[in-house]
Amino acid sequence: MIFISILLLLFCQEIKNLEIDPSKTIIWGPGLKPDKATMRARYIFLQLTDLQGKNLTESPGKDIINVSIQGQTSMGNACHVWTQILDCKDGSFIVRYKLHNTCFNIKLKIKMKHHNLPILSIESKGPVYEEECYCPNPSINKWLEDLECSKNYIQIHKDLAIFASVDFNKIRQSIIKAYDRPGSVSLCHYVVKSNKIFRKCYGRHVGFKIFMDSILLSITRKVVLPDIEFFVNLGDWPLVPKGGKIYPIFSWCGSYDTKDIVMPTYDITVSSLEAMGRVMLDILSVQGNTDTLWEEKIEKVFWRGRDSCRERLDLIDISRKYPDLFNVSITNFFFFENETDKYGPGQSHISFFNFFKYKYQLNIDGSVAAYRFPYLLAGDAMVLKQESKYYEFFYNDLVPGKHYVPVKNDLSDLVEKIIWAKENDKEALQIAKSARQFARDNLLPHDVLCYHVALFHEWSKRLKSKVKVLDNMEEVLQPKHSCKCYNDDVKLKEEL
């Protein structure tokens, strides 16, 4: 009887596969242009369709997609390419590949089980560079076009609107004087000159400079940045109060009380740069590791986190009154350590991928905005988001009620919103799908690169003072890497 059941299961799987029309597969992503889009992990999306041309909405089966990537090094040896196939369980797949050296004559084929003709077949003469290779595109506009970056960044224009003309010769020392507070502020002064990076940091805790260094080093390997000068806040809290002197400070988090210029957070930036590297959690891996079907998910709100704000403790109080609606716990006590007995004990951490065994996720502030929000949107659960004065670079592009369910800052309507979701399951599912699509359209690794480059490009247009390397600055050097740049037109002049 068990054997017959297995045969029936296999037969049904074959039927499901035969309903797919490979010729109508929707394909997109920067991995389609490997010689134009240099990243540690290039990626391609596949949306499978049925014979009627409708998108599949669930996984068609295990090992249905096969990928082959071949190429040669400059010495004629086979290129070392690591490929990865992520089944998003919604009828779509992500194919990622990582090059370990510069490749030529790359042939990439993607095939579907039981079908002879490939879904995708592309060839690139190259050179196709690896992430560490320094060979920047001399045209920033061409680079933005090649990566199909957005042509309209609302947040960038909003942040830079008050800085129409910036003369650092007049304000540089005032900025340093105002924010050189070693006990409470960590700040780095950066200069990019002739595509080389220099900095001087102020503060007692400046370790987070490695994140800003990393994105600048990565970008300048890919594209020639204009000469720019700027200051970066290395802390989580935005620095520039609305009511005071407005100085141009770049920060990872903004708020309605401040005027900082917002960049993608160090968290999403590092995960974008290191995907398929030492970082395991990134926007794409989240989408490829949510394996619980919607109808099988537990109908509770799931949350884990530190005791970074009072509302997180209030959440524990609420959950204890409604245990059938919540699975929430504090993982570490620091800010409210004296209340451990009441709200603890601290629970062990759980894999982020396992969050999505639950239908509802809660995004609640920590010290500032909770930097996990992009990953929650990328999953396949409905996100409830606490109203907050803090925001990241993409928040203004989100639509409440479409991409997430808003919850009052004091969480007073949280239970009401959960009950609504349980009673309106189709609407909750649609919100989850819209959130994932938003992440695919706005929060992928190339989007993070695009945002930084577009921001620096726009910033350069506002600088009126000549950009120069100051005597007390140190150079941030590119990693030592053996790589030949085959673009002979790139000849950078040192005008230091």
Side-chain angles (χ1 to χ4, degrees):
M1 188 68 181
I2 295 175
F3 179 71
I4 294 174
S5 298
I6 293 174
L7 286 177
L8 286 172
L9 179 63
L10 291 173
F11 177 75
C12 290
Q13 183 65 63
E14 292 296 320
I15 294 296
K16 183 186 289 187
N17 291 343
L18 290 173
E19 292 177 347
I20 300 170
D21 185 346
S23 67
K24 290 186 171 64
T25 301
I26 303 167
I27 305 171
W28 74 98
L32 295 172
K33 301 185 292 184
D35 57 334
K36 304 295 185 184
T38 301
M39 290 182 285
R40 189 174 303 280
R42 294 165 168 89
Y43 47 91
I44 298 169
F45 280 86
L46 309 171
Q47 174 61 59
L48 304 185
T49 61
D50 61 20
L51 297 177
Q52 287 72 45
K54 295 181 180 180
N55 290 352
L56 267 64
T57 59
E58 59 182 89
S59 175
K62 187 178 180 182
D63 300 326
I64 193 168
I65 299 294
N66 177 264
V67 181
S68 170
I69 304 178
Q70 297 176 332
Q72 293 83 41
T73 67
S74 59
M75 303 298 291
N77 300 318
C79 281
H80 181 194
V81 185
W82 177 28
T83 61
Q84 184 180 47
I85 301 171
L86 300 173
D87 183 351
C88 300
K89 309 297 191 301
D90 60 359
S92 69
F93 289 80
I94 303 170
V95 173
R96 294 202 288 191
Y97 59 100
K98 175 183 175 181
L99 304 183
H100 292 266
N101 38 32
T102 301
C103 293
F104 297 85
N105 301 316
I106 281 188
K107 296 180 180 179
L108 186 155
K109 288 186 179 180
I110 301 178
K111 298 183 69 175
M112 187 180 297
K113 185 191 289 186
H114 306 309
H115 293 274
N116 294 324
L117 294 177
I119 298 175
L120 174 68
S121 180
I122 60 175
E123 296 186 12
S124 175
K125 292 183 178 179
V128 178
Y129 297 112
E130 67 273 32
E131 165 65 25
E132 290 79 9
C133 192
Y134 184 92
C135 192
N137 189 323
S139 170
I140 195 168
N141 288 318
K142 184 66 168 61
W143 185 90
L144 290 166
E145 180 183 334
D146 285 343
L147 259 72
E148 299 181 6
C149 299
S150 172
K151 292 180 172 59
N152 184 27
Y153 289 98
I154 297 174
Q155 189 65 53
I156 290 178
H157 292 294
K158 181 179 179 181
D159 288 344
L160 299 186
I162 57 177
F163 302 110
S165 177
V166 178
D167 186 343
F168 272 110
N169 291 332
K170 295 181 178 179
I171 64 173
R172 186 183 299 118
Q173 291 306 314
S174 297
I175 294 174
I176 295 171
K177 182 179 179 180
Y179 293 106
D180 187 10
R181 304 196 295 270
S184 58
V185 176
S186 297
L187 193 75
C188 276
H189 181 199
Y190 280 90
V191 162
V192 178
K193 177 76 172 180
S194 299
N195 219 41
K196 293 184 177 181
I197 305 157
F198 303 84
R199 60 164 157 71
K200 166 68 175 176
C201 293
Y202 303 86
R204 191 173 300 158
H205 307 287
V206 296
F208 274 30
K209 66 178 182 290
I210 63 172
F211 300 121
M212 200 65 223
D213 291 352
S214 294
I215 186 62
L216 287 171
L217 288 169
S218 180
I219 288 172
T220 52
R221 290 194 293 267
K222 299 171 176 60
V223 61
V224 177
L225 285 180
D227 291 351
I228 51 175
E229 178 177 0
F230 58 102
F231 286 82
V232 174
N233 166 27
L234 301 181
D236 285 328
W237 286 274
L239 290 179
V240 186
K242 275 186 177 180
K245 178 69 175 178
I246 305 297
Y247 290 118
I249 303 291
F250 287 63
S251 291
W252 290 307
C253 180
S255 81
Y256 298 130
D257 298 334
T258 54
K259 284 291 185 178
D260 297 50
I261 299 165
V262 180
M263 304 177 293
T265 67
Y266 60 83
D267 188 284
I268 193 173
T269 298
V270 169
S271 72
S272 298
L273 294 179
E274 297 295 334
M276 292 186 77
R278 63 178 182 268
V279 172
M280 296 303 294
L281 179 63
D282 61 85
I283 295 294
L284 296 176
S285 66
V286 169
Q287 294 186 48
N289 287 279
T290 52
D291 55 5
T292 304
L293 297 176
W294 178 262
E295 55 270 18
E296 296 175 1
K297 291 180 185 291
I298 300 168
E299 287 193 329
K300 290 185 176 183
V301 167
F302 186 88
W303 181 87
R304 292 289 187 276
R306 299 190 306 155
D307 63 333
S308 307
C309 64
R310 170 55 65 179
E311 287 78 18
R312 293 188 171 194
L313 302 185
D314 294 339
L315 173 64
I316 303 301
D317 284 331
I318 296 171
S319 71
R320 288 172 176 172
K321 293 179 182 178
Y322 301 92
D324 56 323
L325 299 180
F326 294 90
N327 182 339
V328 300
S329 295
I330 301 290
T331 53
N332 300 97
F333 285 86
F334 177 79
F335 297 93
F336 299 93
E337 195 170 6
N338 61 329
E339 298 186 56
T340 303
D341 289 343
K342 181 178 180 180
Y343 294 103
Q347 299 295 309
S348 59
H349 291 269
I350 185 172
S351 168
F352 190 81
F353 301 142
N354 289 333
F355 282 28
F356 299 99
K357 295 183 182 298
Y358 293 78
K359 276 192 179 181
Y360 317 121
Q361 302 295 320
L362 178 62
N363 191 73
I364 184 171
D365 281 353
S367 301
V368 289
Y371 292 171
R372 72 178 63 176
F373 193 27
Y375 308 101
L376 292 178
L377 293 171
D380 60 350
M382 189 199 81
V383 181
L384 299 121
K385 183 192 177 301
Q386 176 197 32
E387 293 177 348
S388 168
K389 67 178 182 179
Y390 296 111
Y391 58 84
E392 297 177 54
F393 74 102
F394 63 91
Y395 279 26
N396 284 330
D397 295 321
L398 291 166
V399 179
K402 177 180 179 181
H403 300 118
Y404 66 90
V405 174
V407 176
K408 290 180 180 179
N409 184 265
D410 63 2
L411 308 183
S412 59
D413 63 344
L414 176 56
V415 171
E416 172 190 331
K417 294 297 178 66
I418 300 170
I419 293 173
W420 173 87
K422 289 170 68 70
E423 293 176 348
N424 296 272
D425 193 62
K426 289 184 179 179
E427 288 85 347
L429 174 58
Q430 185 55 53
I431 291 171
K433 288 182 176 180
S434 297
R436 172 171 278 200
Q437 190 59 51
F438 178 89
R440 288 182 173 183
D441 292 340
N442 299 277
L443 302 176
L444 299 185
H446 79 279
D447 296 310
V448 172
L449 288 170
C450 284
Y451 196 94
H452 279 99
V453 173
L455 174 60
F456 295 142
H457 188 34
E458 288 300 317
W459 179 242
S460 70
K461 299 174 185 178
R462 289 157 168 78
L463 300 184
K464 301 307 176 185
S465 50
K466 181 177 175 60
V467 176
K468 56 186 178 182
V469 180
L470 303 182
D471 293 337
N472 60 356
M473 288 184 157
E474 63 176 325
E475 184 176 358
V476 182
L477 298 173
Q478 292 285 354
K480 293 182 179 180
H481 183 72
S482 178
C483 169
K484 181 179 179 181
C485 179
Y486 292 87
N487 188 349
D488 295 330
D489 294 333
V490 179
K491 295 180 179 179
L492 303 177
K493 297 179 181 180
E494 288 192 22
E495 299 176 353
L496 305 180

